[in-house]
Amino acid sequence: MSDRKNRVCPVERAGSLDNRIRRWLQDPRKILRPYIKEGMTVLDLGCGPGFFSLDIARLVGKSGRVIASDLQEGMLQKLRGKIRGTALEEQITLHKCEENRIGLSEDVDFILAFYVVHEIPDQEVFFNEIKSRLKPNGQVFIAEPPVRVSKTAFEEMIRKARDAGFTPVERPKVFLSKAVILKKALP
Ligand SMILES: C[S@@+](CC[C@H](N)C(=O)[O-])C[C@H]1O[C@@H](n2cnc3c(N)ncnc32)[C@H](O)[C@@H]1O
């Protein structure tokens, strides 16, 4: 258990995940605009303090929704503080998940897992669960930090995604990241 605790990004590091320098290097709108359209329901899995969640809400607009989900209540609290009393509060639903179970009851159009998958203990279980929650033409955007995730580990992660029934369709270029877009494989 202590290994797990060490692997999960602590709430005290939330500030390093949401600041102007990161916004400049990894502009959420630029990264996600090609994939997220108005009206979509998007799962921001492992949302942390919500660096991506707010811009996703702006991209999906009033007719869309964001489910911002995290394992740590402390991260959700940070995001709650950012949206409280703003128009985005209506669009963003906060959801506390478990280590190996997201536990959503609705299907989504798009899933973002940015710097998260290497923190998830059972990736096979994870890929199977997101596959069951993704709409038929939906997409999953995974980005991993190159310092923590080697090329071999990233390819192994994609192999597990393939085994669960996903096909990699694109390798987007994202600064300081290894990234892939997955779609459900055709039956
Ligand atoms: C490095 S942070 C990235 C946060 C955010 N995606 C970003 O890019 O700013 C990883 C986040 O994933 C969350 N996390 C770790 N394991 C998780 C799991 N099994 N299920 C859901 N979230 C998890 C952590 O609590 C943390 O907030």
Side-chain angles (χ1 to χ4, degrees):
M1 183 65 197
S2 59
D3 273 3
R4 283 290 311 130
K5 274 193 170 156
N6 291 340
R7 194 139 55 109
V8 173
C9 175
V11 175
E12 298 75 57
R13 280 199 44 218
S16 68
L17 291 169
D18 193 355
N19 55 64
R20 276 174 47 211
I21 297 174
R22 185 177 184 204
R23 199 159 293 280
W24 181 61
L25 297 171
Q26 293 181 335
D27 180 344
R29 287 182 79 87
K30 273 197 195 147
I31 294 173
L32 297 174
R33 204 168 22 213
Y35 310 101
I36 296 182
K37 306 294 170 211
E38 235 177 282
M40 280 185 169
T41 299
V42 176
L43 170 63
D44 183 6
L45 181 70
C47 60
F51 177 71
F52 288 96
S53 318
L54 276 69
D55 279 307
I56 297 173
R58 293 182 186 111
L59 286 168
V60 297
K62 285 205 164 54
S63 57
R65 274 188 67 219
V66 184
I67 303 163
S69 180
D70 205 283
L71 182 65
Q72 301 183 83
E73 183 55 41
M75 290 294 195
L76 295 175
Q77 291 268 17
K78 300 246 175 224
L79 176 52
R80 192 174 287 120
K82 286 177 194 168
I83 59 173
R84 187 174 291 131
T86 75
L88 296 180
E89 204 172 9
E90 295 279 294
Q91 283 166 259
I92 303 178
T93 305
L94 304 183
H95 173 84
K96 163 106 172 51
C97 61
E98 291 166 33
E99 206 171 54
N100 276 317
R101 188 166 180 274
I102 307 164
L104 282 189
S105 51
E106 67 182 294
D107 292 348
V108 300
D109 298 288
F110 188 85
I111 299 172
L112 175 70
F114 205 102
Y115 286 4
V116 177
V117 180
H118 67 283
E119 295 190 7
I120 295 177
D122 194 330
Q123 294 178 2
E124 279 96 349
V125 169
F126 164 72
F127 282 119
N128 278 306
E129 187 178 3
I130 60 170
K131 189 174 166 241
S132 72
R133 288 276 71 105
L134 190 67
K135 292 184 189 172
N137 283 318
Q139 292 186 311
V140 183
F141 189 128
I142 291 176
E144 291 286 77
V147 209
R148 286 178 180 264
V149 179
S150 67
K151 188 174 184 310
T152 312
F154 190 66
E155 293 310 318
E156 173 63 9
M157 190 205 73
I158 291 175
R159 186 195 59 74
K160 288 177 188 164
R162 281 186 194 275
D163 288 351
F166 284 104
T167 305
V169 291
E170 195 188 328
R171 302 279 185 131
K173 292 213 178 327
V174 181
F175 187 68
L176 275 180
S177 306
K178 293 184 171 74
V180 66
I181 304 284
L182 305 171
K183 285 189 90 164
K184 283 188 189 189
L186 293 172

